[in-house]
Amino acid sequence: MSDKPEIINNEEQQQFEYRAGDELATLTYKFYKKDIAFMHTNIPDSLAGKGIASALAEYAFEYAKKINKKIMVYCPFVAAYLRKHPELKDQLDKQYLG
């Protein structure tokens, strides 16, 4: 088994997902104007502290790059992730930076 969590894109629910048994960790997104907006990360307590949220964020940034969409960040976790990975800032839609 890989040490990288297996993330899927649930396009119908517009969320990236990681499942462990009955537990589901998600990062929700919406397509807005010409961008993709990362809305909210939800990690069950049983999965907290295992790097799942970071893996979801990493997957989300890779997905946005793959589909050639600039990013808008509304999720506080993703904003914190971005501060730790400033090399990803070029993927942000500069028009919506405060």
Side-chain angles (χ1 to χ4, degrees), residues 5-22:
E6 184 180 334
I7 311 278
I8 64 157
N9 180 7
N10 181 336
E11 293 181 21
E12 188 175 305
Q13 297 292 317
Q14 289 193 328
Q15 61 189 18
F16 305 111
E17 300 178 345
Y18 171 77
R19 186 174 298 278
D22 292 337

Side-chain angles (χ1 to χ4, degrees), residues 48-96:
K50 297 182 178 177
I52 304 301
S54 292
L56 286 166
E58 179 183 350
Y59 185 97
F61 276 89
E62 288 173 3
Y63 176 74
K65 189 176 231 178
K66 185 173 97 176
I67 64 169
N68 200 28
K69 295 280 185 193
K70 289 293 187 181
I71 296 167
M72 299 167 70
V73 177
Y74 293 96
C75 171
F77 178 83
V78 174
Y81 179 84
L82 196 54
R83 283 191 292 278
K84 293 177 184 173
H85 299 276
E87 70 278 8
L88 298 173
K89 287 188 176 180
D90 64 339
Q91 288 187 253
L92 298 178
D93 187 331
K94 309 288 189 269
Q95 183 177 349
Y96 294 99

Side-chain angles (χ1 to χ4, degrees), residues 35-52:
D35 297 334
I36 186 169
F38 298 149
M39 305 303 293
H40 180 69
T41 303
N42 182 42
I43 307 297
D45 290 342
S46 65
L47 297 177
K50 297 182 178 177
I52 304 301

